[in-house]
Amino acid sequence: MYLGLDLGTSGVKALLIDDGQKVIGAGHGSLDVLRPYPGWSEQDPAHWIGACEAAIADLKASHPKELAEVKGIGLSGQMHGATLLDASDKVLRPCILWNDTRSHVEAAALDADPRFRKLTGNIVFPGFTAPKLAWVKNNEPAIFAKVAKVLLPKDYLRLWLTGEHISEMSDSAGTSWLDVGERRWSGELLAATSLDERQMPSLVEGTAKAGALRAEFASKWGVAAGIPVAGGAGDNAASACGMGTVGAGHAFVSLGTSGVLFAANASYLPNPESAVHTFCHALPNTWHQMGVILSATDSLNWLSEITGKSAGDLTGELGDKLKAPTGVTFLPYLSGERTPHNDSAIRGSFTGLAHQSSRAVLTQAVLEGVAFAFRDSLEALKTAGTTLSRVTAIGGGSRSRYWLKAIATALQVPVDIPADGDFGAAFGAARLGLIAATGADPLAVCTAPATDATIEPDAGLGGAYADAYQRYRALYPAIRAVTA
């Protein structure tokens, strides 16, 4: 058996697979996000440990014999979080999360230094780790002075599990401190934020061994001591390993809290001006590009809360047949946007509202707005040298066939739906745990699932969607000055 642990924003998932990669069982522990001020998003790392313990306890209660057979563990997690530790590994403050935008001034200052884009291949976004440390230095200097180690969220779990300060390439690529082409920390970029390599974890590939399970957890969970813990991956790279999106030309669209259009690459293809992320993949000598939108299912969840109707009820009101855009347009910038605008201050909007704009019309506009945001990412990927011929859909929002039809029509590429199964980040992490424990060929392990169905673009609505997309594109510059 092999165990994947995925530390998400809303919870920790523990997934158990056997040596044939069949999912045996899963456990879950819930998390909350602290938002003490506008633009802030934090979590207490102690809560991650509690959620991880709850997820393991859940799994142990349902599959004690199978859990006892675990031979390898893989980790994945939310990226970019700044977990600050002192010299005794004590947490100095709540972790500043990926969707926290307080460091937008510091991010702009670092991004103005040409070394960052040159070495990382990316814009310095406010959500990345380096500007958060610059913010701490500027606003909490007493805390900054005590920082002995900076860990990403999943790597704090590794420290708890193994006692080791280790990270891997895919997650570290989102810090703005990694030389992404060379796959190593940049002393030059660290120095630009008044840090050095001694304050960073050591680096391995995601498929490599990166610590061993401490005896106290082996005893508590009923597993063998010294089980290898894989380097693992950031959440999107882990999902790609779970989906088999590891070869050039393979891509997926993820409809989760945030939205991701992810493409695997066989070489390093940076183009930071496009606001596309270019990161190391979890497998050696591979990279990936992704466009990121900050509010995908979060946009529908927001409408759900406003209307008092569940997300499923809202999409159910639209039926199965894709409808032509109504003229009501939704910009899904509820917490700013990354690709293609790199704008933490922009906010969302409905335009084109009329007396007849019903709840269903608003729902349709939200689904279309997210689909058009993915189209923005597709266009940005094209400028970065990546053209996609089809994508596979994952994430909670992919349960809505209507939404997938809208995305296929907006992107003008087929959308594949995988056969039933769990192919998310926890599954990818478990695969990495298997590779680290057995030395198996990563490409032989990280295969793509069977396709259950393919949703083709709606040819009859292609023109209407193209017109609606142009209207969508025109709105950002039109409202930028009055919403930021």
Side-chain angles (χ1 to χ4, degrees):
M1 299 290 163
Y2 302 92
L3 178 64
L5 296 173
D6 175 43
L7 168 56
T9 310
S10 59
V12 173
K13 183 173 184 177
L15 187 76
L16 197 62
I17 66 172
D18 64 17
D19 54 4
Q21 301 193 44
K22 178 184 176 183
V23 174
I24 302 301
H28 188 267
S30 296
L31 289 168
D32 294 318
V33 175
L34 308 173
R35 301 185 186 277
Y37 303 103
W40 287 38
S41 181
E42 301 182 337
Q43 283 178 331
D44 181 348
H47 294 170
W48 300 339
I49 292 174
C52 189
E53 288 181 319
I56 296 291
D58 198 4
L59 193 55
K60 185 177 180 180
S62 58
H63 295 86
K65 293 181 180 178
E66 293 86 352
L67 184 63
E69 295 299 318
V70 167
K71 303 301 181 190
I73 299 173
L75 302 176
S76 77
Q78 49 170 300
M79 297 179 67
H80 314 305
T83 314
L84 310 184
L85 309 180
D86 68 10
S88 61
D89 288 337
K90 178 184 176 183
V91 174
L92 291 168
R93 67 169 331 283
C95 177
I96 306 175
L97 300 189
W98 60 273
N99 54 354
D100 187 293
T101 57
R102 77 184 75 173
S103 64
H104 59 92
V105 172
E106 289 81 3
L110 295 180
D111 193 50
D113 181 338
R115 295 176 296 176
F116 278 88
R117 291 193 183 191
K118 180 180 178 182
L119 292 171
T120 71
N122 293 278
I123 290 171
V124 181
F125 290 91
F128 283 13
T129 321
K132 292 168 183 165
L133 268 292
W135 182 92
V136 172
K137 180 186 177 185
N138 292 339
N139 295 274
E140 299 173 348
I143 289 175
F144 186 83
K146 296 178 183 177
V147 174
K149 277 286 188 289
V150 182
L151 295 182
L152 294 159
K154 80 170 192 320
D155 299 319
Y156 182 75
L157 280 188
R158 185 197 319 281
L159 175 64
W160 172 64
L161 292 169
T162 71
E164 302 280 358
H165 302 100
I166 302 174
S167 191
E168 48 68 49
M169 305 302 173
S170 69
D171 215 356
S172 298
T175 61
S176 290
W177 291 314
L178 195 77
D179 184 328
V180 174
E182 296 296 325
R183 304 172 87 94
R184 59 175 175 80
W185 293 122
S186 167
E188 195 175 356
L189 300 183
L190 286 164
T193 50
S194 303
L195 298 167
D196 62 48
E197 198 164 339
R198 292 172 297 178
Q199 293 163 291
M200 297 295 110
S202 59
L203 291 172
V204 300
E205 295 290 347
T207 53
K209 295 178 183 178
L213 186 67
R214 294 197 289 177
E216 64 181 275
F217 296 111
S219 175
K220 184 176 182 179
W221 299 346
V223 302
I227 292 170
V229 177
D235 51 6
N236 289 302
S239 293
C241 291
M243 286 298 301
T245 309
V246 294
H250 295 174
F252 68 76
V253 59
S254 174
L255 266 171
T257 302
S258 59
V260 174
L261 187 60
F262 182 109
N265 303 111
S267 59
Y268 176 50
L269 298 171
N271 188 347
E273 290 71 23
S274 66
V276 164
H277 298 351
T278 302
F279 292 157
C280 302
H281 210 321
L283 276 59
N285 301 312
T286 57
W287 286 260
H288 67 82
Q289 294 172 320
M290 59 183 182
V292 177
I293 64 175
L294 292 179
S295 299
T297 60
D298 246 9
S299 294
L300 185 60
N301 292 338
W302 167 80
L303 186 65
S304 170
E305 187 175 340
I306 294 296
T307 60
K309 290 284 187 179
S310 72
D313 286 344
L314 289 175
T315 56
E317 287 180 342
L318 299 179
D320 293 328
K321 184 175 176 56
L322 191 66
K323 298 174 173 61
T326 63
V328 176
T329 304
F330 174 71
L331 299 185
Y333 307 146
L334 301 180
S335 58
E337 192 56 292
R338 285 205 190 165
T339 309
H341 302 305
N342 182 28
D343 190 339
S344 62
I346 190 68
R347 289 297 179 262
S349 71
F350 280 109
T351 58
L353 296 173
H355 287 293
Q356 62 268 34
S357 298
S358 64
R359 182 173 64 208
V361 167
L362 298 187
T363 301
Q364 182 182 340
V366 167
L367 303 191
E368 289 167 359
V370 172
F372 292 144
F374 281 123
R375 173 67 182 271
D376 274 350
S377 287
L378 180 71
E379 297 302 323
L381 282 171
K382 287 179 183 177
T383 67
T386 296
T387 302
L388 304 180
S389 59
R390 65 191 315 112
V391 298
T392 300
I394 62 171
S398 65
R399 290 192 292 269
S400 167
R401 291 294 180 101
Y402 188 99
W403 211 345
L404 295 186
K405 289 176 184 176
I407 290 170
T409 306
L411 299 185
Q412 285 295 295
V413 299
V415 175
D416 294 324
I417 302 172
D420 285 343
D422 191 326
F423 308 109
F427 183 66
R431 281 180 155 180
L432 293 170
L434 185 159
I435 294 165
T438 65
D441 178 359
L443 295 179
V445 173
C446 297
T447 55
T451 297
D452 180 61
T454 296
I455 295 180
E456 299 286 345
D458 189 315
L461 291 178
Y465 259 67
D467 291 343
Y469 175 61
Q470 292 307 316
R471 185 164 60 245
Y472 173 92
R473 287 283 295 167
L475 281 173
Y476 171 78
I479 71 166
R480 175 68 179 85
V482 294
T483 63

